[in-house]
Amino acid sequence: MAASAALNPARKSVISRQEILDAAAALFRQKGYYATTLRDIAGSVGMKAGSVYYHFDSKEQILEAVLDIGIEAVFKDVRHKVENMAEDVAWRERFHIAIEAHLASLVQHGDYMSANVRVFSQAPEHIRDRHMKIRRAYEDYWANLYHRAKKAGAIRGNINLTALQALVFGAMNWTIEWYKPGREKIETLAEAYTDILMNGVQPTERDSAAK
Amino acid sequence: MAASAALNPARKSVISRQEILDAAAALFRQKGYYATTLRDIAGSVGMKAGSVYYHFDSKEQILEAVLDIGIEAVFKDVRHKVENMAEDVAWRERFHIAIEAHLASLVQHGDYMSANVRVFSQAPEHIRDRHMKIRRAYEDYWANLYHRAKKAGAIRGNINLTALQALVFGAMNWTIEWYKPGREKIETLAEAYTDILMNGVQPTERDSAAK
DNA sequence: CCTACCGATCGGTAGG
DNA sequence: CCTACCGATCGGTAGG
């Protein structure tokens, strides 16, 4: 809380920096970028407004850091899970794991990723431009997954991969808007999404025959 | 433009009201609610800031109107298309039409719906609460579609309808974040989404056999 | 629908 | 990391 920063001189500025970013992410998520004041951010880590400038040059610099941290974390988590799979894991399961990793990371870095999605469009253009590089890199990573799956015959030849990628990203990232941890487990949701995407919602011919 | 409002006394305030809302929706979409000033809104319809208060009591009132107009328009469009279908249209096609209607309406009322999605979380709580009613009504409309389809055997019994609805809403509404009219047609996108959702991306047994 | 204006608050800075 | 403060700008109002 507020007091500990003042009472503990050993607390390095790196810690305060991290606390400021965490607070900013939470506030950007709730109120957006412009509605969040430096006094809000400072107050929620027990500082005065002017002191924030000891750690950052400007409010925009905080915004940029928050935007980058979110995607970098998710990218890292997903890549780690996907690359730690055995070579012979089936594509259906690969996507299951990737989807679950993305959703779990979204929840874990909730404030950063929610802030990212909600505040990106409000960011000044030069910050959006710089941030787009890392967004693009993450999108390309998924695009590569889809292409390899299609090449391997795990995705139908007539599937539009651009549409598929947009659909999956949309479905996953939309969870930010409604998901409340505790109501249902991320694992359950990931499995449901994977099932729908891989098999579709329509009954198979066998299901129909049994009807 | 600016001049016509001043030169044409027959121009009723209803028109100005609509122009203010259109301008506000476009600005909220671009910059968010707080970053958009009344001077921005007034300026883009050729008024001075104070004059906006001839049409609205507060900035919040403009926000509330913009939020409501977006969903009401989409709800109306989708309901109209769905209810004008023949009784015997197959469920696969019903969803196709509903999805296409939602996407087309999203694009047509682009500023309002984009503003809605982007600005909702920044809105003051009492406005969010009031607006949630109409959001909920639209969600319930879709929930009812899914339930009827499942009952009719058009959706597998083991599909989690809550997850399905979240996935479809997410996929559809995410188009706001990336879709640029002209690059590809909404009809193409709607068909691709419907195909993936209904049949899944995996090859059928017949496809596999041909491989 | 405009002019003129108000109190409040903002991001940021100087000088410790 | 704080105090004290600045210029700029905001939402909103009074009085035409």
Side-chain angles (χ1 to χ4, degrees):
Chain A
M1 287 289 294
S4 64
L7 296 175
N8 184 354
R11 187 184 268 252
K12 304 291 288 219
S13 63
V14 186
I15 301 183
S16 295
R17 199 188 141 88
Q18 190 60 49
E19 282 178 353
I20 290 170
L21 290 172
D22 288 351
L27 288 164
F28 290 167
R29 172 188 195 164
Q30 284 169 42
K31 320 206 291 181
Y33 176 64
Y34 287 97
T36 300
T37 68
L38 281 163
R39 286 158 177 85
D40 289 336
I41 297 172
S44 86
V45 295
M47 282 181 188
K48 297 295 176 180
S51 307
V52 174
Y53 288 88
Y54 176 76
H55 300 280
F56 296 92
D57 293 336
S58 66
K59 192 184 172 189
E60 286 191 358
Q61 199 178 86
I62 298 177
L63 170 63
E64 190 164 5
V66 167
L67 287 176
D68 289 348
I69 288 171
I71 296 209
E72 272 162 12
V74 174
F75 194 175
K76 192 182 144 203
D77 288 350
V78 169
R79 183 191 262 150
H80 182 260
K81 281 280 177 78
V82 169
E83 293 185 353
N84 270 30
M85 280 184 295
E87 283 275 336
D88 63 342
V89 172
W91 275 103
R92 199 269 186 205
E93 187 55 18
R94 298 180 92 84
F95 280 116
H96 181 200
I97 285 169
I99 288 169
E100 186 177 307
H102 182 98
L103 290 178
S105 194
L106 227 56
V107 172
Q108 198 189 339
H109 311 284
D111 287 340
Y112 285 91
M113 275 306 289
S114 299
N116 185 298
V117 171
R118 287 184 174 168
V119 151
F120 173 74
S121 65
Q122 299 166 37
E125 198 176 352
H126 65 277
I127 290 187
R128 278 208 311 275
D129 287 345
R130 244 176 299 163
H131 178 64
M132 273 311 289
K133 286 181 195 165
I134 175 170
R135 276 202 175 200
R136 206 99 63 184
Y138 185 50
E139 285 168 13
D140 289 348
Y141 184 79
W142 277 84
N144 184 253
L145 281 185
Y146 293 123
H147 277 106
R148 282 162 53 207
K150 192 171 189 174
K151 214 169 201 172
I155 291 179
R156 279 188 282 142
N158 58 344
I159 292 285
N160 178 339
L161 291 191
T162 308
L164 172 60
Q165 177 158 353
L167 186 154
V168 176
F169 259 117
M172 292 193 302
N173 290 344
W174 194 251
T175 55
I176 286 170
E177 300 290 335
W178 61 270
Y179 182 76
K180 301 272 176 286
R183 198 153 61 184
E184 64 200 316
K185 285 160 69 176
I186 279 295
E187 290 80 12
T188 310
L189 193 63
E191 169 56 32
Y193 279 11
T194 306
D195 179 35
I196 292 170
L197 291 169
M198 293 295 148
N199 305 312
V201 301
Q202 287 188 139
T204 64
E205 286 165 25
R206 198 164 311 164
D207 292 331
S208 304
K211 185 175 63 167
Chain B
M1 288 289 294
S4 64
L7 296 175
N8 183 353
R11 187 184 268 250
K12 302 292 290 223
S13 63
V14 186
I15 301 183
S16 296
R17 198 187 141 89
Q18 189 60 48
E19 282 178 352
I20 291 170
L21 290 173
D22 288 351
L27 289 163
F28 289 167
R29 172 187 194 165
Q30 284 170 43
K31 319 207 290 179
Y33 176 65
Y34 287 97
T36 300
T37 68
L38 280 163
R39 287 159 177 84
D40 289 336
I41 298 171
S44 85
V45 295
M47 282 181 187
K48 296 294 176 180
S51 307
V52 174
Y53 289 88
Y54 176 76
H55 300 281
F56 296 92
D57 294 336
S58 68
K59 193 184 174 190
E60 287 192 356
Q61 198 178 86
I62 298 177
L63 170 63
E64 189 164 5
V66 167
L67 287 176
D68 289 349
I69 287 171
I71 295 210
E72 272 162 11
V74 174
F75 193 174
K76 193 183 143 202
D77 288 350
V78 170
R79 182 192 263 150
H80 182 261
K81 281 280 177 76
V82 169
E83 293 184 354
N84 269 31
M85 278 185 296
E87 284 274 334
D88 62 342
V89 173
W91 274 104
R92 199 267 186 206
E93 187 56 18
R94 298 181 92 84
F95 279 116
H96 179 201
I97 285 169
I99 288 169
E100 186 177 308
H102 182 98
L103 290 178
S105 194
L106 227 55
V107 172
Q108 196 188 340
H109 310 285
D111 288 340
Y112 284 91
M113 274 306 289
S114 298
N116 185 299
V117 170
R118 287 182 174 170
V119 151
F120 173 74
S121 65
Q122 300 167 36
E125 198 176 353
H126 65 277
I127 290 187
R128 279 209 312 273
D129 287 346
R130 244 178 298 164
H131 178 64
M132 272 311 289
K133 286 182 195 165
I134 176 169
R135 276 203 176 200
R136 206 100 62 183
Y138 185 50
E139 286 169 11
D140 289 348
Y141 183 79
W142 277 84
N144 184 254
L145 281 184
Y146 293 123
H147 276 108
R148 282 160 53 206
K150 193 171 190 175
K151 213 169 202 171
I155 291 179
R156 278 188 282 140
N158 57 345
I159 292 285
N160 177 339
L161 291 191
T162 307
L164 173 60
Q165 177 157 353
L167 186 155
V168 176
F169 260 118
M172 293 194 301
N173 290 345
W174 193 252
T175 56
I176 286 170
E177 301 289 335
W178 61 270
Y179 183 77
K180 300 272 176 288
R183 198 154 60 182
E184 64 200 317
K185 284 161 68 176
I186 279 294
E187 290 80 12
T188 311
L189 192 62
E191 170 55 32
Y193 279 11
T194 306
D195 179 35
I196 293 170
L197 292 170
M198 292 296 147
N199 305 312
V201 301
Q202 287 189 139
T204 63
E205 286 165 23
R206 198 163 310 165
D207 292 331
S208 304
K211 185 178 63 165

